[in-house]
């Protein structure tokens, strides 16, 4: 539907969080297109305003092509304690609506969440990212070289079978289980955030499902 060539579904032999998964995908993509722009999306989120998301992706694409690691910050409308937050900094010169990331913040206590909401400088961390494959590989090599080397081994020793890329079991299982936030985004000096209001929820609780779907007659 989007006019691109299907590559493969990458199969992980073990759960190792988002950093190894992204590293493996970036390495596989980079084999064909070293500076490809890579959009990372959790599969279990809901986005109601798709048009707003598409506009945010267009804006993020321009920023990512300049070498920044872009994340999407959700404009908060309540003092939510169930999400991590991103503290935004100065506007990114030449990119309207995009800001430097000052800090990634853990899920806050209620009083702190209220302060975050009131400040207007904090956004919910969506876990959605856009960056060039060469840039995320460089940053992984800088901050977690062992993880990158292990993922590279898992890719090169893996097997391709029709629509699937099977990562090598032993090599991938040896990867540290760590999120991309901890591994790279919190350490990088090239992290940027684009605030967006797109009707987002991570569907992390039954209350989120109820909110998204609405009650029935009962």
């Amino acid at each position: 539907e989007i006019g691109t060539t299907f590559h493969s579904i990458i199969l992980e032999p073990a759960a190792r969080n988002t950093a190894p998964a992204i590293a493996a995908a970036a390495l596989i993509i980079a084999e064909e297109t070293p500076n490809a722009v890579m959009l990372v999306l959790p599969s279990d989120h809901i986005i109601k305003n798709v048009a707003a998301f598409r506009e945010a992706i267009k804006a993020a694409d321009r920023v990512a092509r300049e070498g920044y690691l872009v994340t999407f910050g959700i404009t908060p409308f309540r003092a939510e304690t169930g999400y991590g937050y991103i503290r935004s900094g100065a506007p990114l010169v030449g990119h309207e609506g995009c800001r430097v990331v000052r800090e990634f913040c853990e899920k806050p206590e209620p009083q702190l969440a209220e302060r975050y909401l009131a400040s207007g400088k904090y956004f919910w961390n969506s876990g959605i990212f856009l960056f060039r494959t060469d840039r995320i590989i460089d940053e992984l090599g800088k901050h977690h070289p062992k993880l990158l080397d292990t993922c590279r081994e898992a890719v090169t020793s893996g097997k391709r079978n029709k629509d699937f890329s099977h990562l090598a079991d032993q090599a991938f299982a040896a990867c540290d289980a760590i999120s991309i936030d901890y591994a790279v985004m919190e350490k990088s000096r090239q992290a940027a955030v684009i605030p967006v209001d797109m009707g987002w929820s991570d569907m992390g609780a039954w209350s989120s499902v109820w909110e998204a779907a609405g009650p029935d007659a009962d």
Side-chain angles (χ1 to χ4, degrees):
E1 290 179 352
I2 64 173
T4 190
T5 303
F6 175 77
H7 189 282
S8 64
I9 296 168
I10 303 169
L11 301 181
E12 299 170 275
R16 285 296 179 266
N17 215 314
T18 54
I22 290 168
L27 289 165
I28 289 172
I29 294 169
E31 289 176 358
E32 295 182 4
T33 314
N35 60 348
V37 175
M38 176 178 174
L39 179 63
V40 177
L41 301 130
S43 62
D44 56 350
H45 293 189
I46 187 169
I47 295 171
K48 291 185 175 180
N49 189 341
V50 176
F53 186 37
R54 287 175 176 162
E55 288 304 310
I57 292 172
K58 288 179 184 177
D61 181 64
R62 293 189 289 271
V63 181
R65 290 184 188 278
E66 292 190 9
Y68 288 92
L69 312 180
V70 186
T71 184
F72 296 80
I74 306 302
T75 305
F77 56 86
R78 61 173 181 261
E80 176 62 55
T81 59
Y83 299 146
Y85 284 72
I86 299 167
R87 179 188 175 195
S88 64
L92 197 61
V93 178
H95 295 285
E96 185 178 355
C98 187
R99 292 180 168 272
V100 173
V101 170
R102 286 285 300 276
E103 182 184 13
F104 284 84
C105 307
E106 298 292 339
K107 297 173 183 178
E109 296 296 322
Q111 288 184 331
L112 186 56
E114 292 284 0
R115 292 203 294 272
Y116 286 173
L117 183 64
S119 75
K121 297 179 180 179
Y122 291 80
F123 301 92
W124 292 339
N125 184 358
S126 68
I128 301 172
F129 306 97
L130 192 79
F131 32 62
R132 292 198 328 244
T133 53
D134 60 332
R135 285 291 300 117
I136 193 63
I137 291 168
D138 285 347
E139 293 275 341
L140 282 161
K142 183 189 300 182
H143 302 295
H144 270 275
K146 183 180 177 182
L147 183 147
L148 182 62
D149 288 345
T150 309
C151 283
R152 186 175 277 115
E153 174 63 23
V155 170
T156 56
S157 299
K159 297 179 181 178
R160 302 278 176 91
N161 177 22
K162 295 184 178 179
D163 292 340
F164 299 99
S165 294
H166 300 259
L167 300 176
D169 292 21
Q170 191 171 350
F172 195 76
C175 287
D176 290 336
I178 186 171
S179 72
I180 198 68
D181 302 69
Y182 286 130
V184 172
M185 297 301 294
E186 293 185 0
K187 299 178 176 70
S188 176
R189 295 184 178 181
Q190 294 292 104
V193 58
I194 289 187
V196 58
D197 182 3
M198 57 186 182
W200 171 91
S201 171
D202 73 348
M203 305 300 282
W206 285 114
S207 57
S208 301
V209 177
W210 186 91
E211 188 177 282
D216 60 18
D218 296 317

